[in-house]
Amino acid sequence: MSATSIGTSEFPKQGQEEVNYLNYDHTLRSWLTTGDHKRIAILYLISTTFIFFLGSLAAGMIRFELTSPAGVVLESETYNKVFSSHGVIMVFFFLVLALPATLGNFLLPLMIGARDLAFPRLNLGSWYLYMVGAALMLSGLIFGGIDTGWTFYTPYSSMYSNTQVSLVIIGIFFSGFSSITTGINFIVTTHKMRAPGMTWFRLPLFVWALYATSVIVILGTPVIAITLLLVVFERLFHLPIFSPELGGDPVLFQHLFWFYSHPAVYIMILPAFGIESELIANFARKRIFGYHFVAFSTIAIAGLGFLVWGHHMFVSSQSMYEGLVFSLISFLVAVPSAIKIFNWTATLYKGNIRLQSPMIYALGFIGLFTVGGLTGLFLGSVGTDVHLTATYFVVAHFHYVMVGGTMMAFLGGLHYWWPKMTGRMFNDGIAKWNAVLVFVGFNLTFFPQFIVGWLGMPRRYHYYYFAPEFQPYNIMSSLGASALALGFLLPAFYLTASLFNGPKAGSNPWGAHGLEWETSSPPPVTNFLETPIVTDEVYDFDPVSEYEQLRAAQDLLDEGGNPGGSY
Amino acid sequence: MPFNFPLAPPQASSLAPEYDAVFYALLALTIFFTGIVLAAVVFLTVRYRRGTKVDRSRPVYEDLRLELSWTIIPLILALVMFYAGAKVFVDIRTAPKDSEEIFVIGKQWMWHIEHPNGVRENNTLHVPIGKDVKLIMISQDVLHAFYVPAFRTQVHVVPGRYTDIWFKATKVGEYHLFCNMYCGTQHSEMCGSVIVMDQRKYAEWLANNGESVPHLTMAQAGARKFNSVGCANCHGGTDTLRAPSLVGIFGKKRVFSDGTSLIANDEYLRESIVNPYNHITAGYGQSMPVYTKDQLSEEDILNILAYIKTSGGTPDSPSASLISESAVPVETSKHNGDTPLATNAIRAQIPSSDATPTVRTGHPAVGAIAARGINP
Amino acid sequence: MANSPAAASHEHHIVPTSTYFGTLIALIVLMVITVAVAQFQIPDIGPLTGTVLNQLVALIIAGIKAFLVVTIFMGVKWQTPLTKLWAVTGFVWFTLMFIIMGDYLTRKYEPLASWRPNQETALPRTIHGGTPMPMVDPNEANLHPRE
Amino acid sequence: MAGAHAEPLAHGHDHGHDEALHHQFEDIGQQNESYLVGMWTFLVTEVMFFGALFFTYTLYRLNYQYDFWVAHEHLDWKLGAFNTTVLLFSSFTMVMAVQSAQLKKRSHVMRYLEITVACAFIFLGVKYVEYSSKFADHLYPGISFSTDPKVFGEHGFVNGVPMVNMNHAQLFYGLYFGMTGLHAVHIIVGIGVLTALWRLWKNHAKSVTVDYVPTELVGLYWHFVDLVWIFLFPLMYLMPTPH
């Protein structure tokens, strides 16, 4: 542990409540004008949670509608708007920024020992950009909705759809710039704000992941911003770029769209990898196995991820040769992902594993991401993709990655750092069972979709009365979705409840390792009262050392009435 | 409806077995690796959970050989699988040279198909078994995708450009045809079926201008009914053993067992079918079964009457014999032992004209099925 | 962590005005060359037609100009390696987009002559309910010289 | 705010920068480097932003070479060359402003910034002239795009037969207005930023006068705008005759 930050001078006086980032000022104005990365993270957490439940509501309607082959309540037009809203909300307004902007924003400076991000006002600005984008998008959904799917394929989106495509796209444009500003902030912070002694290979793997994510964001997002803008221009001013009637090529839109949107998948999953590494190392009480390999595989995924977008277009009349090239590179991405899975598994060996709720999520992540990743091979393989493209197999695959991967890691990370963010402990017993519920509900929801997709059920279909053999799987899936919904709702309740009646968490309730656990919970406004100097390696656990016992003693001390928890 | 859980789509093209080989290889790989990882995670978690007394000394943090092995082995496997997939893909995309060509136009929200001899159909594609068929496709508005799961093949149908797809069907039957690229409001109804026929029947079908069953005359329909409900067992041909022959009966005088007589006109013949014991022909007993409305509709009776009228002539002449079964085209066997597809019900409603279907509101499924008189 | 000596020393790079002025002159001369080259018909050399060569020359000159602007005006020449890295990243990554070109070079994509969208289902081709967009039939208006 | 700044660990510049130093940084050197790296990463996104458009342009240009060439004949390369010179010159004045800021010559900085803004306005003025001639001939994409090849003069015809596909010409003008329009938006933003910077200098604001880096950041942005034009000019205005 950093030697300097453990000093007696930092103990708060007994009985005096410590000033932290949450309580130094209670006005709404102080929240809305804050430059503090921790407060902005909380703002993001509240807004993305709201957005997430909106998107989940749409998902629930989809699943309800699909229980019957001829639909239940919705008209086709409404159904199309519902699934488009689900996609747009979840992809552009939740997944691409949920992890970086909430947990990343909160933790990046803490983990590297900085007082704040490099550009606090830019950080606040990015939240406002996000809110403006979300407001535009939601107003688009309210005043007519969109029925293009989240992919906005031309010429349907540019010449045929009679819905609020332009408004929603402009919302996405804003949200994209919110991501870009956050990305710039993270890159500069990681490069320039690390505490003394915090070398690149002492960085926690979450920081590596955030860095790689940010690089993808700043290189990819502008491309989709301009591409979607061209769609808007095509709609509003009939600026002909992707319309075949004037010589444009609709497939060019798909190229440019996926040039961002495939790397965007890695924007969503890389932070989850980072969180996963943190959780596995800290709950197995062991340094992550093959730290360098995991770190470099993060960068490799980020780089290779930019070269594989064409695998979304194997049947889109792209040239056959291009398809083969993209397929080959897609298979190569499988390798760094495999490295990560194996390294996490190997970390468990000779660990001292605590099965607390974040660890349950982390173990669930390994299982679900393994399935999600391996089924990706079916879609990356240019031959097998022909039959499976745009069926429920694809839907199941990316939900295994996005929900089974990103959401599991997000929940795990949220539970793990909740005491740090709020200073309160939640009920770990409920949380553990909730993790199991999410795991089971998730599998029940999405595993049947692999089979029904393999049978050939196309995605985005409202009816399947002509193929009643799809029904049993859809019913299973909808049942699972109910369980999953419960699994997502419960944390909202028990985590919120912990704010009021949760026991105070010490500075390090999990006995974890990392700079963020060196400061009090919740952290002071400037994160550290004194700039920490890093002298030890990352995840420097020894499963059987005295450190362990020391830590246990510390836990006891915390429970015994050291409210601030700083030591 | 019985819930069955099919685990694989039917294999109905020459590409399907080749495709499935790669698919199942990947599946085996997936199951293998998932199994290994899950087993390892569970085993290690249980073994090294907090509080167990196990040897935790000398933990390993890095092992280059291990890292390299789980880099290189997946890499090799990935390259092998890439090769297998690529080979299938090239086969799927390369149509044999002398394929039969059929043309497809996609539009919101229907498939319009033209066979080279001019036969047109909507949402249904008839193809011969065992022949290479190449579809040349274009869209009239937005992107669509022509997807036949049983053939394991699909390609986008693009506005402003021809794309093509080929297959060689290997199994007679009816298979799903889906539009698999989101194309607007009624995307999920832009589907239909591919009907694989044996080559002789396909040729007949083409020759019949796209009608799988040529229109039957009333007499022909009557003849079929005559045979199928069993009239022919007793009244067939010149057979007079159990019942009088009906050959040339129309307009003849009939003498009954009670001594009365009537001219055999429509009313008499009809009554003899539905109420056979009112007038029993002299020399015969009460042996004819009574046919209820369920067995014979009014239409059937009219058809049978028409048939009886045509079988004029003398009992010995060839024209008196029943129209042989084989001369009447038999309805194509629709399902080759497979689950019946509900698409028949829907497709029956689609007019064969070129018109874009009117927007259907309300509950299309119910509407379509109700139109057939089946209670959904 | 601002412990690098480079950070401390970058203030001392005060580039003389002559360098900047020289660069400006060079840029303007290069621009004049570009304009001049565009007026000439370069003969074909091997597989490259004169048209391609001409544009190639123009782009190479533009590249040199960009290099001058980036290194001298934007001062990358005197910056830390990190800044240099970020300065080239964008340009390098932009070239990745040209992978898309591989697709277009191996298939034909020009929309079919006279292809018309279905006017019944398309959005009205007007901005505010004005007259429909006139579309030019390439077959009527154009005899394409190269086809 | 609670918490005091810790002692800078690396040796700081003791130039009295405190007022310009933000709380999250240890010293002005770190802050400056952060600003520079931040600006460059932003410019990377800008490169990709324009990059997508440049790529689209390249693609359609390759495919519709002849039509694009005919369409481009309506552009006036002399005006384009003039504008290029103006922008190059403004880049020079901008870099001189930065140099003056390094030397802390406040009046020079303001003078150079004024010239730069003036150049920007000249550029926009010329652009206005160019755009209006296109609008006059109905060469803006949309429903009223000209259907008459005569707007391109004799280039649209060979032996009196029209030789240009007006749909592709519309594609060219779509890209022309899209790309130069986006560039013009950047110029307008640049004028705003330059003016703000000028006001800060005028008011002796510590945030810009203590250190030259804020001025340099604006300079980087301005040079980038110049950079885009360096490529736009030959691609749009100087197409060789296809043969």
Side-chain angles (χ1 to χ4, degrees):
Chain A
M1 295 279 105
S2 317
T4 52
S5 65
I6 304 176
T8 48
S9 62
E10 290 163 43
F11 274 116
K13 290 191 178 94
Q14 286 291 328
Q16 174 190 333
E17 194 172 12
E18 197 183 354
V19 174
N20 60 44
Y21 82 100
L22 287 172
N23 65 9
Y24 78 91
D25 192 343
H26 291 285
T27 58
L28 185 64
R29 189 188 147 83
S30 75
W31 277 89
L32 294 181
T33 57
T34 180
D36 186 347
H37 67 100
K38 299 181 287 301
R39 286 195 157 201
I40 294 168
I42 301 290
L43 290 176
Y44 263 120
L45 184 64
I46 294 166
S47 37
T48 52
T49 306
F50 173 71
I51 280 284
F52 173 76
F53 280 112
L54 271 186
S56 305
L57 193 69
M61 285 166 80
I62 295 170
R63 287 288 8 136
F64 180 59
E65 189 67 10
L66 286 178
T67 50
S68 160
V72 183
V73 284
L74 302 179
E75 296 275 321
S76 285
E77 200 181 339
T78 323
Y79 178 83
N80 295 342
K81 287 177 180 174
V82 168
F83 80 68
S84 302
S85 312
H86 173 68
V88 166
I89 289 177
M90 288 305 200
V91 171
F92 291 112
F93 291 88
F94 182 73
L95 285 168
V96 294
L97 43 72
L99 273 61
T102 55
L103 295 176
N105 225 334
F106 192 93
L107 290 160
L108 178 66
L110 284 169
M111 283 181 153
I112 63 173
R115 280 194 286 269
D116 203 329
L117 287 173
F119 311 117
R121 270 180 294 179
L122 194 66
N123 198 15
L124 181 67
S126 90
W127 181 71
Y128 277 107
L129 278 175
Y130 171 72
M131 293 307 278
V132 170
L136 283 169
M137 179 271 295
L138 288 176
S139 58
L141 296 188
I142 291 164
F143 301 119
I146 52 160
D147 67 346
T148 59
W150 74 275
T151 46
F152 296 104
Y153 270 22
T154 54
Y156 184 72
S157 64
S158 64
M159 289 179 58
Y160 289 84
S161 175
N162 222 337
T163 49
Q164 297 289 352
V165 177
S166 307
L167 205 53
V168 172
I169 282 182
I170 293 169
I172 293 171
F173 190 80
F174 275 93
S175 146
F177 271 86
S178 158
S179 295
I180 289 175
T181 46
T182 306
I184 291 175
N185 229 333
F186 283 6
I187 288 174
V188 175
T189 308
T190 313
H191 271 300
K192 288 285 149 206
M193 311 282 285
R194 300 193 309 277
M198 182 57 93
T199 60
W200 280 91
F201 291 109
R202 283 178 179 169
L203 286 177
L205 285 164
F206 187 40
V207 176
W208 273 97
L210 286 173
Y211 182 78
T213 308
S214 307
V215 172
I216 301 175
V217 166
I218 67 159
L219 292 172
T221 315
V223 176
I224 197 173
I226 197 73
T227 308
L228 290 179
L229 214 54
L230 285 176
V231 171
V232 174
F233 284 165
E234 191 162 330
R235 282 182 74 84
L236 296 184
F237 310 117
H238 195 238
L239 180 81
I241 301 294
F242 304 122
S243 307
E245 74 196 75
L246 294 176
D249 184 18
V251 180
L252 176 63
F253 172 83
Q254 297 167 34
H255 272 300
L256 294 175
F257 179 84
W258 290 113
F259 184 87
Y260 162 78
S261 293
H262 187 75
V265 172
Y266 297 104
I267 295 176
M268 303 171 202
I269 194 67
L270 280 179
F273 288 163
I275 292 175
E276 178 69 8
S277 302
E278 297 294 312
L279 297 180
I280 294 279
N282 280 312
F283 285 88
R285 287 292 183 281
K286 192 158 166 283
R287 185 189 307 166
I288 208 86
F289 188 87
Y291 172 91
H292 289 82
F293 274 83
V294 177
F296 283 127
S297 67
T298 308
I299 302 296
I301 289 174
L304 282 175
F306 264 102
L307 304 172
V308 300
W309 73 84
H311 68 215
H312 296 266
M313 302 165 58
F314 286 154
V315 300
S316 73
S317 80
Q318 179 186 219
S319 102
M320 184 172 83
Y321 307 101
E322 187 90 340
L324 294 174
V325 173
F326 277 125
S327 175
L328 178 63
I329 308 174
S330 303
F331 267 102
L332 298 183
V333 186
V335 176
S337 311
I339 291 175
K340 279 176 181 292
I341 296 266
F342 290 132
N343 277 305
W344 290 325
T345 311
T347 306
L348 300 174
Y349 176 66
K350 289 196 171 181
N352 189 355
I353 298 166
R354 282 142 170 76
L355 283 174
Q356 283 155 312
S357 55
M359 188 58 169
I360 311 270
Y361 280 111
L363 295 175
F365 173 98
I366 294 186
L368 298 182
F369 182 73
T370 306
V371 175
L374 283 166
T375 50
L377 294 182
F378 293 79
L379 303 169
S381 163
V382 64
T384 43
D385 183 68
V386 171
H387 167 66
L388 298 170
T389 293
T391 63
Y392 264 83
F393 193 92
V394 174
V395 175
H397 159 69
F398 70 69
H399 280 89
Y400 260 82
V401 178
M402 299 292 94
V403 184
T406 306
M407 271 314 286
M408 287 292 272
F410 181 61
L411 285 174
L414 192 64
H415 283 82
Y416 176 51
W417 284 297
W418 185 260
K420 180 55 62 184
M421 294 167 95
T422 63
R424 301 284 184 156
M425 233 6 235
F426 52 88
N427 184 332
D428 197 51
I430 296 181
K432 268 193 270 197
W433 284 110
N434 189 66
V436 174
L437 176 68
V438 170
F439 184 81
V440 173
F442 174 84
N443 277 305
L444 191 56
T445 310
F446 292 105
F447 197 81
Q449 294 186 2
F450 278 125
I451 302 171
V452 83
W454 163 230
L455 292 180
M457 178 169 174
R459 70 194 283 201
R460 296 173 173 179
Y461 259 31
H462 180 202
Y463 301 128
Y464 53 94
Y465 53 80
F466 33 79
E469 68 266 28
F470 296 157
Q471 194 183 11
Y473 296 111
N474 276 294
I475 288 178
M476 279 164 74
S477 185
S478 299
L479 284 177
S482 329
L484 195 58
L486 188 65
F488 286 145
L489 273 173
L490 273 178
F493 289 112
Y494 67 73
L495 286 181
T496 312
S498 77
L499 292 178
F500 303 102
N501 57 15
K504 293 212 165 173
S507 65
N508 192 356
W510 310 108
H513 189 278
L515 274 185
E516 78 270 28
W517 302 107
E518 298 293 316
T519 187
S520 55
S521 305
V525 175
T526 51
N527 292 348
F528 300 95
L529 298 180
E530 193 173 293
T531 304
I533 295 172
V534 182
T535 52
D536 55 356
E537 298 304 318
V538 65
Y539 312 125
D540 204 3
F541 291 108
D542 185 349
V544 285
S545 75
E546 296 167 2
Y547 166 79
E548 178 81 7
Q549 298 154 16
L550 231 159
R551 186 60 64 181
Q554 182 68 49
D555 287 355
L556 262 177
L557 192 70
D558 286 342
E559 284 164 25
N562 183 358
S566 186
Y567 55 91
Chain B
M1 168 190 344
F3 274 9
N4 52 351
F5 289 81
L7 288 175
Q11 276 189 349
S13 79
S14 60
L15 293 167
E18 189 186 348
Y19 175 96
D20 284 3
V22 182
F23 181 89
Y24 287 120
L26 276 170
L27 188 64
L29 210 66
T30 304
I31 291 170
F32 175 71
F33 276 105
T34 313
I36 285 188
V37 170
L38 289 191
V41 165
V42 170
F43 172 75
L44 291 171
T45 309
V46 171
R47 184 172 163 82
Y48 292 104
R49 72 187 186 280
R50 185 185 203 179
T52 52
K53 299 255 181 301
V54 284
D55 178 21
R56 292 192 173 87
S57 60
R58 286 179 294 120
V60 193
Y61 296 124
E62 209 131 313
D63 185 337
L64 193 62
R65 279 171 309 165
L66 211 51
E67 296 285 356
L68 285 181
S69 62
W70 65 47
T71 307
I72 291 168
I73 292 172
L75 184 66
I76 292 170
L77 282 174
L79 291 178
V80 170
M81 288 325 297
F82 161 72
Y83 177 75
K87 210 166 156 300
V88 173
F89 183 64
V90 172
D91 290 347
I92 290 175
R93 287 291 288 267
T94 319
K97 278 219 174 60
D98 44 359
S99 310
E100 212 168 284
E101 288 181 349
I102 299 175
F103 300 86
V104 178
I105 297 167
K107 55 183 162 186
Q108 287 175 326
W109 291 274
M110 68 190 298
W111 296 106
H112 182 63
I113 292 152
E114 283 194 51
H115 295 261
N117 76 339
V119 171
R120 295 172 170 81
E121 47 183 339
N122 286 336
N123 292 327
T124 319
L125 169 64
H126 287 78
V127 289
I129 194 172
K131 270 196 183 163
D132 297 327
V133 175
K134 181 178 173 184
L135 305 181
I136 296 174
M137 307 190 280
I138 191 168
S139 165
Q140 203 175 309
D141 34 50
V142 300
L143 293 169
H144 303 284
F146 192 93
Y147 176 38
V148 186
F151 294 168
R152 309 286 187 280
T153 189
Q154 105 169 274
V155 78
H156 280 193
V157 179
V158 184
R161 191 162 78 240
Y162 292 129
T163 53
D164 58 72
I165 198 172
W166 82 277
F167 49 81
K168 184 162 91 179
T170 52
K171 209 166 129 191
V172 171
E174 182 173 349
Y175 305 102
H176 291 303
L177 156 65
F178 293 130
C179 171
N180 199 13
M181 175 68 230
Y182 177 71
C183 59
T185 309
Q186 290 175 50
H187 166 57
S188 62
E189 288 167 86
M190 188 171 162
C191 58
S193 52
V194 175
I195 295 167
V196 178
M197 309 167 99
D198 74 36
Q199 294 192 4
R200 190 178 59 86
K201 284 184 182 151
Y202 177 71
E204 271 172 19
W205 178 85
L206 271 187
N208 284 329
N209 206 21
E211 296 286 341
S212 53
V213 183
H215 285 301
L216 297 177
T217 62
M218 280 178 77
Q220 284 170 329
R224 284 180 59 170
K225 205 72 200 172
F226 193 79
N227 283 319
S228 66
V229 299
C231 311
N233 294 347
C234 304
H235 296 286
T238 52
D239 183 8
T240 53
L241 188 64
R242 280 161 293 177
S245 167
L246 301 183
V247 174
I249 192 176
F250 192 75
K252 298 270 170 63
K253 187 179 178 187
R254 306 300 293 169
V255 181
F256 305 121
S257 51
D258 59 359
T260 57
S261 66
L262 277 172
I263 299 294
N265 57 8
D266 287 331
E267 286 78 17
Y268 162 72
L269 288 173
R270 180 191 152 83
E271 187 177 24
S272 300
I273 294 168
V274 296
N275 246 338
Y277 308 136
N278 280 4
H279 304 284
I280 297 173
T281 307
Y284 295 97
Q286 292 194 350
S287 57
M288 181 162 157
V290 177
Y291 289 93
T292 63
K293 271 234 155 83
D294 290 344
Q295 287 159 302
L296 285 178
S297 67
E298 292 295 342
E299 190 184 343
D300 292 334
I301 294 170
L302 285 176
N303 288 342
I304 290 174
L305 291 187
Y307 168 59
I308 291 172
K309 285 180 208 167
T310 56
S311 60
T314 60
D316 301 320
S317 72
S319 69
S321 62
L322 289 169
I323 297 166
S324 74
E325 179 70 22
S326 62
V328 179
V330 185
E331 204 175 337
T332 320
S333 153
K334 273 182 180 160
H335 317 295
N336 200 27
D338 286 325
T339 334
L341 297 175
T343 16
N344 289 325
I346 309 310
R347 290 310 144 222
Q349 304 308 314
I350 302 288
S352 58
S353 74
D354 193 12
T356 308
T358 50
V359 177
R360 276 166 279 164
T361 52
H363 235 290
V366 175
I369 296 167
R372 261 185 96 220
I374 300 167
N375 190 358
Chain C
M1 184 182 66
N3 49 3
S4 61
S9 62
H10 79 268
E11 268 193 62
H12 306 299
H13 288 295
I14 293 170
V15 182
T17 311
S18 57
T19 310
Y20 288 140
F21 192 71
T23 310
L24 174 67
I25 297 299
L27 285 170
I28 289 174
V29 168
L30 283 170
M31 188 204 72
V32 171
I33 294 175
T34 324
V35 172
V37 167
Q39 313 303 318
F40 282 106
Q41 194 81 275
I42 298 183
D44 298 359
I45 299 173
L48 295 171
T49 62
T51 320
V52 175
L53 281 175
N54 205 317
Q55 196 66 51
L56 216 57
V57 171
L59 283 177
I60 288 168
I61 295 176
I64 296 169
K65 281 157 79 181
F67 180 76
L68 285 176
V69 170
V70 170
T71 48
I72 296 171
F73 280 178
M74 294 169 101
V76 164
K77 193 177 170 188
W78 302 283
Q79 289 292 349
T80 58
L82 179 63
T83 316
K84 282 180 181 147
L85 177 72
W86 279 112
V88 296
T89 304
F91 298 99
V92 170
W93 226 254
F94 166 59
T95 59
L96 282 188
M97 231 180 268
F98 280 79
I99 297 174
I100 301 174
M101 226 33 136
D103 179 22
Y104 288 93
L105 295 176
T106 47
R107 72 169 161 94
K108 179 170 168 53
Y109 75 98
E110 186 172 341
L112 299 163
S114 294
W115 181 86
R116 293 282 181 76
N118 190 348
Q119 295 290 356
E120 288 165 21
T121 44
L123 289 177
R125 295 287 83 199
T126 59
I127 296 177
H128 299 296
T131 48
M133 206 201 93
M135 250 181 303
V136 185
D137 189 331
N139 279 355
E140 291 157 13
N142 179 27
L143 302 166
H144 217 281
R146 286 159 298 126
E147 282 178 358
Chain D
M1 293 251 191
H5 296 313
E7 282 299 303
L9 288 145
H11 83 282
H13 304 264
D14 197 12
H15 297 324
H17 288 324
D18 284 339
E19 286 172 66
L21 179 65
H22 292 291
H23 80 280
Q24 71 271 27
F25 296 108
E26 299 286 352
D27 58 40
I28 199 82
Q30 185 191 25
Q31 175 171 327
N32 283 342
E33 280 228 5
S34 299
Y35 282 170
L36 284 172
V37 174
M39 191 65 200
W40 273 106
T41 44
F42 171 71
L43 292 183
V44 165
T45 68
E46 288 276 28
V47 169
M48 298 306 283
F49 198 67
F50 278 98
L53 280 172
F54 273 104
F55 177 79
T56 310
Y57 173 84
T58 313
L59 185 64
Y60 288 142
R61 162 96 181 269
L62 277 178
N63 207 42
Y64 308 124
Q65 219 176 64
Y66 180 79
D67 300 317
F68 270 41
W69 175 74
V70 172
H72 114 285
E73 287 291 304
H74 198 280
L75 300 178
D76 190 343
W77 67 264
K78 296 184 189 87
L79 287 180
F82 175 75
N83 254 352
T84 313
T85 319
V86 169
L87 268 196
L88 290 175
F89 183 70
S90 79
S91 248
F92 169 72
T93 55
M94 186 67 228
V95 85
M96 287 311 292
V98 177
Q99 190 211 45
S100 310
Q102 283 175 323
L103 300 169
K104 302 208 183 301
K105 293 178 184 164
R106 179 172 155 273
S107 59
H108 283 64
V109 175
M110 288 172 60
R111 176 82 42 77
Y112 280 123
L113 287 179
E114 283 155 18
I115 302 174
T116 310
V117 172
C119 285
F121 275 111
I122 294 172
F123 180 90
L124 286 180
V126 173
K127 211 85 221 122
Y128 173 78
V129 172
E130 287 190 68
Y131 278 8
S132 29
S133 81
K134 307 294 168 286
F135 272 73
D137 283 344
H138 279 269
L139 286 177
Y140 54 96
I143 52 165
S144 54
F145 191 81
S146 172
T147 53
D148 185 4
K150 286 195 186 75
V151 291
F152 300 128
E154 78 277 15
H155 299 292
F157 296 86
V158 170
N159 301 331
V161 182
M163 293 301 270
V164 58
N165 183 331
M166 293 303 283
N167 288 344
H168 301 163
Q170 191 177 160
L171 205 56
F172 172 80
Y173 277 100
L175 287 162
Y176 169 78
F177 279 105
M179 294 168 83
T180 57
L182 193 64
H183 180 258
V185 168
H186 277 75
I187 296 262
I188 293 166
V189 171
I191 290 174
V193 175
L194 286 166
T195 314
L197 182 70
W198 180 82
R199 284 179 62 86
L200 286 172
W201 274 99
K202 188 165 185 287
N203 299 338
H204 296 273
K206 283 265 172 27
S207 55
V208 294
T209 52
V210 169
D211 199 277
Y212 75 96
V213 165
T215 314
E216 169 150 16
L217 295 180
V218 177
L220 286 178
Y221 174 84
W222 192 253
H223 297 310
F224 176 79
V225 173
D226 189 18
L227 210 57
V228 173
W229 187 259
I230 283 176
F231 286 98
L232 275 179
F233 172 59
L235 285 176
M236 288 289 177
Y237 291 80
L238 298 176
M239 287 190 202
T241 327
H243 62 94

